[in-house]
Amino acid sequence: NMRRNKQRNKAMSSCNQLQEIADKLKAEVSVNRLGYVINGTKYPRVTTILGEINKPQLNAWRVKKAVEMFQAADLEWKDKDIRVTQDWVDTLAVKAKKEPDRIAGEAADIGTAVHNIIEKIMLAGIEGVDFAGIPGEAIPAIESWMAWKRSCPWTFGPAELCVWSDEYGYAGKFDGLVHDGKEIALIDWKTSSGISGRGYEYQLAAYAMAILERTGIEVKTAYAVHVPCEQGKSVEVWRVVDLAKSFNAFAAALEIRDVGKLDLMEKIS
């Protein structure tokens, strides 16, 4: 009984700590295409700022998808004996250029659906979710996430929290707070095809820094929880190895964005 009471008290203490952070992050928030408006002040999105960082893997993926469309069209042309004209080539080139954005848009829609369903489960419990209305493409992700959460030992706290930094001038929203058995951590669900090389560590570090600024509480751990949309794949948990170095990279993206607005060249001859 004493051991059980000790565990219960520890869990209660963890929940209180998580709620304390959430209470300090309460604000009047609205979102538009340019970013966040928080308590009447405008802030750019963390993800927009990170767009300043070149991502070679993403660029390679875009080229690959465009080339694949040309290859598919080449097979169709040979199979159906299509007459190749300059107009046909030009039209195909336009479609191929748009193909990566089309695929990314579809993936983003599925990711948004998965995030929304997870948020509802976190806030209202599984009883509050209409599973009949879930898009078919999102079902494998939800099933794998629910299986993972059932076995996860973490204490889960408030979900969908907005953070902002007046010192650095940015805002963002992350998916929740947890106590991982050792300390408080922030988590973010990711439904992309992978985690490595996408700069998620910079994003999570920006959220952690904003939490410290707003609450005075240092969050030393951050997790990107990869929820795959492919059938039969399991959830993967990735931890940011060094939040301080990751924030330095984010701060560099901020500097690039700000300096990029300046005219730092002059013609002298």
Side-chain angles (χ1 to χ4, degrees), residues 44 52 254-264:
E52 299 289 346
L254 270 172
E255 184 72 10
I256 292 170
R257 185 202 62 162
D258 293 341
V259 171
K261 298 174 184 177
L262 306 175
D263 185 1
L264 299 179

Coordinates of all heavy atoms in Angstrom, one line a residue, residues 44 52 254-264:
P44 N 5.5 35.5 -36.3 CA 5.6 34.5 -37.3 C 5.7 33.1 -36.8 O 6.1 32.9 -35.6 CB 6.9 34.9 -38.0 CG 7.7 35.5 -36.9 CD 6.7 36.3 -36.1
E52 N 13.8 29.0 -43.9 CA 15.1 29.6 -44.3 C 16.2 28.6 -44.4 O 17.3 28.8 -45.0 CB 15.5 30.7 -43.3 CG 14.5 31.8 -43.1 CD 14.5 32.7 -44.4 OE1 15.4 32.6 -45.2 OE2 13.5 33.5 -44.5
L254 N 16.6 32.4 -37.7 CA 16.0 33.7 -37.4 C 16.9 34.8 -38.0 O 16.4 35.8 -38.6 CB 15.8 33.9 -35.9 CG 14.5 33.5 -35.2 CD1 14.7 33.5 -33.7 CD2 13.4 34.3 -35.7
E255 N 18.2 34.7 -37.8 CA 19.1 35.7 -38.2 C 19.1 35.8 -39.7 O 19.2 36.9 -40.3 CB 20.5 35.4 -37.7 CG 21.6 36.4 -38.0 CD 21.5 37.7 -37.2 OE1 20.7 37.7 -36.2 OE2 22.2 38.6 -37.5
I256 N 19.1 34.7 -40.4 CA 19.1 34.7 -41.9 C 17.8 35.4 -42.4 O 17.9 36.2 -43.3 CB 19.1 33.3 -42.4 CG1 20.5 32.6 -42.1 CG2 18.8 33.2 -43.9 CD1 20.6 31.2 -42.4
R257 N 16.7 35.1 -41.7 CA 15.5 35.8 -42.1 C 15.5 37.3 -41.9 O 15.1 38.1 -42.8 CB 14.3 35.2 -41.3 CG 12.9 35.7 -41.7 CD 11.9 35.6 -40.6 NE 12.3 36.4 -39.5 CZ 11.4 36.7 -38.5 NH1 10.2 36.3 -38.5 NH2 11.8 37.4 -37.4
D258 N 16.0 37.7 -40.8 CA 16.1 39.1 -40.5 C 17.1 39.9 -41.4 O 16.8 41.0 -41.9 CB 16.4 39.4 -39.0 CG 15.3 38.9 -38.1 OD1 14.1 38.7 -38.6 OD2 15.5 38.6 -36.9
V259 N 18.3 39.3 -41.5 CA 19.3 39.9 -42.3 C 18.9 40.0 -43.8 O 19.3 40.9 -44.5 CB 20.7 39.2 -42.1 CG1 21.7 39.7 -43.1 CG2 21.2 39.4 -40.7
G260 N 18.2 38.9 -44.2 CA 17.7 38.9 -45.6 C 16.8 40.0 -46.0 O 16.7 40.3 -47.2
K261 N 16.3 40.7 -45.0 CA 15.4 41.9 -45.3 C 16.2 43.2 -45.6 O 15.7 44.2 -46.0 CB 14.5 42.1 -44.2 CG 13.5 41.0 -43.9 CD 12.7 41.2 -42.6 CE 11.8 40.0 -42.3 NZ 11.0 40.2 -41.0
L262 N 17.5 43.1 -45.3 CA 18.4 44.3 -45.4 C 19.1 44.3 -46.7 O 19.4 43.2 -47.3 CB 19.4 44.3 -44.3 CG 18.9 44.2 -42.8 CD1 20.0 44.1 -41.8 CD2 18.0 45.4 -42.5
D263 N 19.5 45.4 -47.2 CA 20.3 45.6 -48.4 C 21.7 45.8 -47.9 O 22.1 46.9 -47.5 CB 19.8 46.8 -49.2 CG 20.5 46.9 -50.5 OD1 21.4 46.0 -50.8 OD2 20.2 47.8 -51.3
L264 N 22.5 44.7 -48.0 CA 23.9 44.8 -47.4 C 25.0 44.9 -48.5 O 26.1 44.7 -48.2 CB 24.1 43.6 -46.5 CG 23.2 43.4 -45.3 CD1 23.5 42.2 -44.5 CD2 23.3 44.7 -44.4

